Amino acid sequence: MKKIRIGVLVSGRGSNLQAIIDNIKKGEVSAEVAIVISDQADAYALERARKHAIPAVHVSAKGYKNRREDYDNALVQELRKHGVELVCLAGFMRIISPALIKAYPGRLLNIHPALLPAFPGLHVQKAALEHGVKFSGCTVHFVDEGMDTGPIIIQAVVPVLDNDTEESLSERILAQEHKIYSRAIQLFAEGRLKIEGRRVTASGGETSIDKFLINP
Ligand code: GRF
């Protein structure tokens, strides 16, 4: 199968990037990471990419103050230079402008550490604990112009335990993030995803209707 060229946008530690790289190496994802771009010069994600001989660049937002569109155009230029077909946001801590969305319509994914539409935005594990939900999880979705509002591709659910802290819950969710992002990319690469309104369906997949969870 042809490998889809992906561009990964990061700001920090890059554990999702690492999982994608590892799953590609294992042959579970038919993709090639063509470029990693960070808005932070010291993002560990850049080092992770370089260790695997993946082109990794820092595109600073300085000089683009109040000009989000211009900054995103600079990203688009870099992505196009590397022949990127699918853009994956993985801990990229900036709000995306229409410039990037229009350049990659239906080809821009994000991962969020909550079961959207619950708990969009930041500090979501804290919010989930404070709200007292019994389950949380993670979501991979297409990016639209809202904050964490785009059509949902895949979700994974984890239980929230009575003695959970923000850290322990984040860790449990992160382990699932590392699985579902690669799965979403593979579904995309295989051309199996169809977006109809807000609903995304994946052809050829089978979901057991026995997948119920009860907690406690
Ligand atoms: C993840 O929790 C992701 O869901 C969120 O930011 C975090 C990034 O972690 N968008 P990492 O940089 O991939 O380790």
Side-chain angles (χ1 to χ4, degrees), residues 18-29 31 51-54:
Q18 187 68 56
I20 293 166
I21 294 170
D22 293 345
N23 290 329
I24 290 173
K25 290 220 152 122
K26 280 191 230 157
E28 289 170 9
V29 187
K51 276 188 198 153
H52 293 272
I54 294 166

Side-chain angles (χ1 to χ4, degrees), residues 91-124:
F92 186 59
M93 301 301 285
R94 290 178 60 84
I95 295 172
I96 297 301
S97 77
L100 184 52
I101 298 166
K102 284 188 187 128
Y104 283 93
R107 294 177 160 265
L108 186 51
L109 309 185
N110 182 43
I111 185 148
H112 182 76
L115 291 175
L116 291 171
F119 311 121
L122 295 174
H123 311 298
V124 299

Side-chain angles (χ1 to χ4, degrees), residues 125 165-176 178:
Q125 291 88 353
T165 60
E166 227 179 305
E167 290 68 36
S168 63
L169 180 58
S170 302
E171 207 181 302
R172 193 171 312 122
I173 292 171
L174 196 63
Q176 299 307 313
H178 295 164

Side-chain angles (χ1 to χ4, degrees), residues 9-19 45 48 89-93 110-114 121-122 124-125 137-139 148 170 173-174 177-178 181:
L9 304 191
V10 295
S11 297
R13 80 190 149 177
S15 71
N16 275 288
L17 167 70
Q18 187 68 56
R48 293 187 194 260
L89 309 182
F92 186 59
M93 301 301 285
N110 182 43
I111 185 148
H112 182 76
L122 295 174
V124 299
Q125 291 88 353
C138 44
T139 304
D148 302 321
S170 302
I173 292 171
L174 196 63
E177 292 184 38
H178 295 164
Y181 215 165

